């Protein structure tokens, strides 16, 4: 069953931690594909360079987050 589109004037996104194995990018992708926003603010900790410094981790879902913003 198709899910209804969401509409919002503003969406703030923080603490995504792309590049970390603990990142839940698939949940964020699900939201980004369903919502129409006027303004999208990426507030902080979008990419986790600290985790990537220890071990490079960048699956396709992490790249898709940027493609859908």
């Amino acid at each position: 069953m198709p899910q209804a589109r969401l509409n919002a004037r503003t969406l703030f996104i923080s603490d995504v931690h792309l590049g970390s194995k603990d990142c839940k990018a698939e949940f964020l992708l699900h939201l980004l594909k369903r919502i129409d926003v006027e303004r999208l603010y990426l507030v902080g900790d979008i990419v986790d360079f600290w985790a990537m410094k220890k071990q490079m981790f960048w699956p396709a879902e992490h790249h898709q987050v940027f493609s859908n913003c």
Side-chain angles (χ1 to χ4, degrees):
M1 183 168 90
Q3 295 182 343
R5 299 280 307 161
L6 302 171
N7 292 300
R9 291 179 61 195
T10 306
L11 177 64
F12 291 85
I13 296 177
S14 179
D15 297 302
V16 176
H17 296 279
L18 294 171
S20 167
K21 289 187 178 186
D22 294 326
C23 175
K24 305 294 185 223
E26 61 276 358
F27 293 111
L28 180 55
L29 280 171
H30 179 74
L31 172 66
L32 292 173
K33 289 179 180 180
R34 290 188 56 218
I35 194 164
D36 294 315
V37 297
E38 293 177 24
R39 285 178 219 89
L40 173 63
Y41 292 96
L42 303 176
V43 181
D45 293 331
I46 303 303
V47 177
D48 194 337
F49 291 107
W50 186 271
M52 290 172 53
K53 184 177 177 182
K54 295 177 185 176
Q55 180 181 3
M56 185 63 182
F57 181 76
W58 198 267
E61 292 85 6
H62 292 204
H63 181 74
Q64 291 172 359
V65 168
F66 282 109
S67 299
N68 283 281
C69 283

